[in-house]
Structures are given as C-alpha cells and as structure tokens.
Amino acid sequence: MKIFIDTANIDEIRDAATLGVIDGVTTNPSLIAKEGKKLEDVIVDICNLVDGPISGEIKATTTKWEDMVAEGKEIAKLHKNMVVKIPMTKDGIIAVKELTKLGIKTNVTLIFSVNQALLAAKAGATYVSPFVGRLDDISEDGINLIYDIVDVFTNYDIKTEIIAASIRHPMHAVECAKAGADIATIPYKVLMQMIKHPLTDQGIEKFVNDYKKVFG
Ligand code: G3P
C-alpha cells in the first residue's frame, strides 16, 4: 500500500519525508487554510520535499465545471507532480472528464459511496478519495466502503487508484491495507503513532539496561 501524508504543514512533510516511506501528499482547502497560506504558496515547497503525486484542491468556492477546469489547469502548471483535487459533484465529474482529456491527473474527493467512486472512475479520475473517518463519525462503516470500492474496481479492472482518506488512527491504516486500498493518506500524528508499540519501547529499555549492567 502506498502511503501519502495528509497535510499542508511543511514541517510535518519535511519530517515525514526523512522516513523514506512517503509516496505522495494530499491537501485540502481546510488543511491549506490551517497554514494561513494560498495553495500556490505552499505547493512548491511541498514538491521540493516529496517526489510523488501532490494533490492540490480547487477553491472551495469554485462550483461550475468550466471554472474548475480553468483552475485545474493553473494548479497543474505549478509542478509536474501536481494532481488536481475535485469534489464529487455533477460539475466535478464534468471537470474531471475535461481535465482528463487534457492529460491532467485528478483526485475526486469527498467520496462516500461506491456509486460516487464508480462514476468518478468512469469520468477518468486518476484517484478517488473515499473518506473513512467521516463515515465512522456518523456510525457508518467507513472501512467497508473501501472493501466495496476495491471489489467493484477489481471486477472491471478499473485503473483508477483508491486513496483511503480521513484516516483517524493507526488501525484505519491496517484495515485499509487489508481491504486492498492502493493508497492511504495519513495525517502526520497517525503516521508517528504507526511507528510506536509499547512492547518495542519496553524491549529497547531492557536491552539498554542489560547492556549497561555489563558494559556500563
Ligand atoms: O484530506 C482529505 C481527508 O483526508 C480529510 O480528512 O480528517 O478532514 O475527515 P478529515
């Protein structure tokens, strides 16, 4: 499973990139707003840190497909690794179809059903982003959506890649891998949690103590 980091924070991306396990980056309007900068102001820094797909979303206020296409073309110009993130709406699907014709990669976001994923893929989306955590938040089974999308895409050999998004904790990463998601996009905090285990810490402490007893 490929791992993307889900943040626009340069320090988090820089630190995560040192691990050598990050395959890409996803951002969204909320993550960009959190940094207090415009997308185009952070993208170059991000692209210099991670040599992989970088998702930059069109403005949240952009709703007409013609404007989405115009904005998507500008996002694509920022760097060769840019992927244009488009929300799952009727106009979004049209925009994905048009951007695909132009050879521009797209990531259809805010996906919460198999039908949405299927239509986005049929429009030519490079990636679809089903949101696991937000389904869990309303007592629905977010991981089950990943299994279902994987099943449908496998049935028809659909090449669109599934980015499991809205990852809330390390077990989401495990379950997305079990479900066969192509990618999980993971917040920095969760990525750090994935490294840790209390028995590992205890084992290291014992090794140190045993070593010091003999060698000081
Ligand atoms: O960036 C897309 C998605 O990962 C956002 O997740 O935590 O806002 O539901 P979240």
Side-chain angles (χ1 to χ4, degrees):
M1 182 171 78
K2 287 180 275 189
I3 292 178
F4 289 8
I5 187 167
D6 194 28
T7 182
N9 182 286
I10 296 300
D11 293 334
E12 290 181 347
I13 295 170
R14 182 180 296 110
D15 187 50
T18 60
L19 294 173
V21 300
I22 301 300
D23 301 300
V25 181
T26 55
T27 67
N28 67 37
S30 301
L31 292 172
I32 291 290
K34 187 177 173 183
E35 299 307 312
K37 301 175 183 174
K38 290 182 180 177
L39 174 70
E40 53 269 27
D41 295 337
V42 297
I43 280 303
V44 174
D45 291 339
I46 294 175
C47 292
N48 289 334
L49 290 169
V50 176
D51 183 21
I54 311 294
S55 282
E57 193 158 345
I58 59 169
K59 292 185 183 69
T61 50
T62 303
T63 56
K64 293 183 179 177
W65 72 265
E66 299 90 340
D67 298 330
M68 290 178 177
V69 171
E71 213 175 301
K73 288 160 72 175
E74 292 307 307
I75 290 172
K77 287 177 185 173
L78 292 173
H79 193 276
K80 65 178 176 58
N81 288 341
M82 284 310 297
V83 176
V84 180
K85 219 177 184 185
I86 303 273
M88 181 61 203
T89 63
K90 183 179 176 184
D91 278 70
I93 291 297
I94 299 169
V96 166
K97 185 185 67 178
E98 295 305 316
L99 289 167
T100 302
K101 289 177 187 173
L102 298 171
I104 294 173
K105 293 186 177 179
T106 55
N107 175 3
V108 179
T109 189
L110 289 169
I111 295 259
F112 294 97
S113 73
V114 175
N115 279 334
Q116 288 180 319
L118 185 58
L119 291 176
K122 285 188 68 61
T126 314
Y127 305 99
V128 290
S129 289
F131 279 31
V132 176
R134 293 193 192 185
L135 285 167
D136 289 0
D137 290 345
I138 61 168
S139 303
E140 290 190 21
D141 187 342
I143 292 296
N144 192 59
L145 175 60
I146 305 297
Y147 275 98
D148 287 348
I149 296 172
V150 169
D151 284 350
V152 168
F153 281 23
T154 302
N155 287 348
Y156 298 97
D157 194 26
I158 291 174
K159 302 304 183 188
T160 300
E161 291 192 85
I162 303 161
I163 304 178
S166 190
I167 301 299
R168 294 275 198 276
H169 50 71
M171 280 314 295
H172 269 166
V174 172
E175 292 299 328
C176 289
K178 286 180 176 180
D182 299 289
I183 303 155
T185 191
I186 298 173
Y188 176 79
K189 177 186 173 186
V190 175
L191 183 67
M192 294 299 111
Q193 287 173 305
M194 288 167 68
I195 297 170
K196 302 289 287 180
H197 194 291
L199 292 182
T200 303
D201 295 343
Q202 289 175 25
I204 291 169
E205 185 178 1
K206 184 177 185 312
F207 287 162
V208 169
N209 292 337
D210 290 348
Y211 178 88
K212 285 182 174 178
K213 284 175 188 170
V214 176
F215 301 102

